[in-house]
Amino acid sequence: MKKIFLACAAFATMIGTYSCTKLDVPVESQYVKSNFPTTDADYTALLGTIYSNLSSSYAVPYWRMQDMSTDEAILPARDGNFDDGGQYRQLHYHTWTFDHPNVISVWQWGFGGINTCNRIITVINASSSTAAKKASSIAEVRAMRALYLYFMMDLYGNVPIITDFPVTTQPANQPRAKVYEFIESELKAVLPLLPAKSSNAATNVSQYGRPTKGMVFALLAKMYLNSGVYINSNRYQETVAMCDSVQNNTNYFLDAKFRDIFLPTNGPQINETIFAVPYDQQIPGNQFTRFGFFYYLAQAYGFNVGLSIAMSTTPEFYNRFNIPGDDRTKTWLAGPQYYPDGNGGFTSQPVYYPTGTAGVPANTQINIKPDLILTGLKPMDLGNDVLNAQSEGVRSIKYYPDVNIIQATRLNSNDVPVFRLADIYLMKAEAILRGATPTTINGDFQSPLTLVNKLRTRAHAQVATSIDLDGLLDERARELSWEAWRRNDLIRYGLFEKEYPLPVAGGKTDDLKMNTDPTRRLYPIPSTELKTNPNLKQNPGY
């Protein structure tokens, strides 16, 4: 089973998601000092709450804050449908406020995960387990706590550093540089105690979805590449060093087929995955098909459930998928539609609108249009007629639709990568373009161009003859679309505030404009936290 670890976690007692300012959190774990677990299976169940919390919001609310605030993803209204109080257009136009639902829920998700990590550390420390078992288990928990804190630092900037359980003092914000330093020190401290990716398949199954040395190296590489943003100091050579540390483990290598990485059957057999969030029909959180598919294709893909027609990408972003032969272009639904081959590709058999679809002539082939044309009648609204407005907007099927999707949950079984080797190649290439010295790994001299062409060759795309920073950003868009890194990339490139206005039909004007204030590079401290904790200070601009 690809989800052995998370399946065990399902039996662990779930802890509610608590904000870091709720100080009277009751201990609800099934484990206390008197009955602390002793077997590996018991430990797995204990630590499972950390991972069930992670999966609960990573693939929807967290992902929205990272990708729907950019050109990569947009959820327009369709004659008022899918507006949901304006929360999606607020993300698109950078007009969110401190009471935006994702601003609140993702803060609580992140600090709820940190709270759970701290709770588990106290239980482990109080146990009678061997010193070695305590050390290895606590290292795993600290690595996950560092990952949660990185997410919070990246989104909110100056956030509290919380290591106690229970929390007895209202925590105050810490400068982003201090949070960065804490995360770095934690990762370096636990690194020697974490396992490395193995050549043994059974070992990799047990490690899957859990911290490894490779995950620590990848997270440090991400931090160092963004150091100019986080601490106003560039650390590009350290970025290269961390990328090389990943590559020195030859058990990480590119998979032969790009599409295999994201299929519903993905899992520990994917060779380039460094850290992923596992999902299946019992692990809720991945609903990409529910929000971003095209409803009228459902039967062609082998299921018949209620799905959205709303979420897509922008024309400006999709225009980057223009390289001849590139398999990565097949991750989008655009133009005339054909039956899927079940393995990430398409057959030559056209897909027609179901018989009796209102306003659609019989035997009309489904045609998805890249352009998004606003009506000007309602905010960020396309209208809702089937052949025009509903079919506007290229849809992503990077996380290939799961035939096991059911109406009750509409969940996908596709695991969602957080770090993978392709990102390591691209981070290293960018660091070198920004001034770091190229290195040789296992006899392979790696220039930015050779690193990019490794990915293009795997995707059967035309190889590049040169690469610069602008081209590398486009390559990151093609390779890492919908993997929750676009906001991070655009901020690092100084392009997060760039406007890409959508056309309006009939010569009308769109009254909504993007807020281009650079303070929007950080989200606000949520209103709920400010009300309950006077020690928290709001970010500038809010």
Side-chain angles (χ1 to χ4, degrees):
M1 294 175 61
K2 75 170 183 174
K3 314 292 192 329
I4 287 178
F5 180 69
L6 271 295
C8 290
F11 293 100
T13 301
M14 294 295 296
I15 302 299
T17 301
Y18 290 99
S19 147
C20 72
T21 59
K22 296 181 185 293
L23 307 181
D24 55 348
V25 179
V27 178
E28 296 178 358
S29 170
Q30 62 181 325
Y31 296 121
V32 293
K33 185 176 181 180
S34 61
N35 68 340
F36 187 82
T38 55
T39 68
D40 287 344
D42 290 340
Y43 267 95
T44 296
L46 171 67
L47 272 58
T49 53
I50 299 171
Y51 301 98
S52 56
N53 180 78
L54 181 68
S55 61
S56 67
S57 291
Y58 185 82
V60 178
Y62 173 80
W63 177 89
R64 284 176 177 167
M65 293 181 77
Q66 294 288 16
D67 279 6
M68 287 184 65
S69 59
T70 74
D71 56 347
E72 189 169 284
I74 184 172
L75 206 165
R78 315 266 175 169
D79 196 24
N81 297 322
F82 313 110
D83 185 66
D84 290 353
Q87 60 178 297
Y88 311 124
R89 50 185 155 90
Q90 289 169 7
L91 288 173
H92 180 74
Y93 288 109
H94 297 186
T95 57
W96 52 76
T97 58
F98 67 2
D99 57 359
H100 187 282
N102 289 153
V103 168
I104 294 173
S105 67
V106 170
W107 174 286
Q108 293 178 340
W109 165 76
F111 282 102
I114 291 169
N115 184 69
T116 297
C117 290
N118 292 336
R119 177 184 61 82
I120 290 174
I121 289 173
T122 62
V123 176
I124 295 174
N125 276 328
S127 76
S128 58
S129 299
T130 65
K133 186 62 178 178
K134 284 185 180 182
S136 63
S137 298
I138 289 175
E140 177 178 348
V141 179
R142 287 172 68 186
M144 288 304 300
R145 184 176 66 185
L147 180 65
Y148 275 117
L149 188 56
Y150 171 77
F151 292 154
M152 297 298 97
M153 178 192 73
D154 183 68
L155 290 171
Y156 300 97
N158 305 323
V159 296
I161 299 172
I162 306 171
T163 58
D164 296 330
F165 183 88
V167 180
T168 57
T169 303
Q170 297 274 34
N173 312 67
Q174 298 296 327
R176 201 180 206 184
K178 186 173 181 179
V179 181
Y180 175 103
E181 180 183 351
F182 175 79
I183 298 170
E184 181 185 25
S185 65
E186 284 288 283
L187 293 173
K188 288 182 175 181
V190 302
L191 180 61
L193 297 172
L194 294 174
K197 182 178 173 68
S198 169
S199 59
N200 182 281
T203 300
N204 289 331
V205 168
S206 67
Q207 293 175 355
Y208 186 67
R210 303 168 73 174
T212 60
K213 294 183 190 298
M215 189 204 88
V216 168
F217 292 138
L219 179 51
L220 285 171
K222 189 68 69 174
M223 289 178 60
Y224 293 153
L225 184 62
N226 289 282
S227 289
V229 175
Y230 297 148
I231 62 172
N232 198 31
S233 176
N234 295 325
R235 301 181 70 177
Y236 298 130
Q237 202 62 52
E238 290 99 321
T239 305
V240 170
M242 291 301 100
C243 292
D244 288 353
S245 294
V246 173
Q247 293 186 77
N248 282 331
N249 185 337
T250 56
N251 294 310
Y252 293 113
F253 54 91
L254 294 182
D255 292 88
K257 292 179 64 179
F258 179 75
R259 295 300 280 125
D260 286 352
I261 306 167
F262 309 99
L263 294 176
T265 53
N266 65 358
Q269 79 278 10
I270 302 300
N271 300 293
E272 70 184 75
T273 298
I274 300 170
F275 183 76
V277 181
Y279 289 101
D280 63 19
Q281 297 301 322
Q282 284 73 48
I283 303 173
N286 183 345
Q287 294 186 312
F288 282 120
T289 298
R290 173 184 177 182
F291 291 107
F293 195 60
F294 190 68
Y295 171 78
Y296 301 101
L297 289 169
Q299 291 185 7
Y301 279 74
F303 48 83
N304 186 20
V305 298
L307 299 168
S308 170
I309 58 166
M311 193 165 65
S312 64
T313 191
T314 65
E316 183 267 347
F317 187 82
Y318 178 68
N319 285 342
R320 293 174 173 82
F321 289 79
N322 56 3
I323 302 176
D326 195 342
D327 291 341
R328 297 170 298 187
T329 305
K330 298 176 184 177
T331 65
W332 300 99
L333 296 175
Q337 294 301 297
Y338 297 87
Y339 272 81
D341 64 8
N343 199 33
F346 305 94
T347 70
S348 59
Q349 181 182 357
V351 180
Y352 301 103
Y353 281 97
T355 303
T357 301
V360 179
N363 299 320
T364 299
Q365 186 177 6
I366 294 174
N367 185 15
I368 297 177
K369 306 172 181 67
D371 290 338
L372 297 168
I373 303 174
L374 304 178
T375 65
L377 302 176
K378 296 177 181 179
M380 207 174 85
D381 199 296
L382 302 176
N384 204 34
D385 63 291
V386 175
L387 288 178
N388 295 298
Q390 287 191 16
S391 65
E392 290 180 8
V394 173
R395 273 67 165 185
S396 174
I397 54 167
K398 188 168 192 175
Y399 304 103
Y400 197 76
D402 188 348
V403 294
N404 295 313
I405 191 171
I406 59 174
Q407 182 65 41
T409 59
R410 292 177 284 187
L411 299 175
N412 282 44
S413 293
N414 319 60
D415 299 347
V416 178
V418 180
F419 301 112
R420 59 186 182 93
L421 186 60
D423 195 4
I424 295 297
Y425 286 174
L426 293 173
M427 286 195 289
K428 181 176 181 179
E430 183 180 336
I432 294 170
L433 286 173
R434 293 186 184 275
T437 302
T439 58
T440 298
I441 296 296
N442 301 318
D444 177 26
F445 178 74
Q446 296 184 336
S447 69
L449 185 60
T450 59
L451 288 163
V452 166
N453 280 333
K454 286 177 185 290
L455 301 179
R456 288 205 181 185
T457 299
R458 189 263 297 275
H460 302 105
Q462 186 180 81
V463 296
T465 57
S466 63
I467 194 71
D468 58 14
L469 281 171
D470 289 341
L472 190 71
L473 181 61
D474 288 345
E475 201 65 35
R476 288 188 64 83
R478 285 184 282 266
E479 180 69 27
L480 301 171
S481 66
W482 286 41
E483 294 185 46
W485 290 117
R486 184 64 172 171
R487 170 183 164 275
N488 183 280
D489 291 343
L490 292 182
I491 291 173
R492 187 173 65 255
Y493 270 76
L495 296 173
F496 188 58
E497 297 80 32
K498 182 179 179 180
E499 296 187 79
Y500 35 93
L502 300 175
V504 185
K508 299 183 181 70
T509 59
D510 181 14
D511 292 333
L512 297 176
K513 301 296 180 184
M514 179 178 284
N515 184 343
T516 59
D517 191 326
T519 58
R520 294 284 148 163
R521 295 175 188 177
L522 291 179
Y523 285 97
I525 308 300
S527 58
T528 51
E529 308 306 314
L530 296 172
K531 290 176 181 177
T532 56
N533 181 0
N535 292 330
L536 292 175
K537 306 301 180 185
Q538 185 57 277
N539 287 326
Y542 294 98

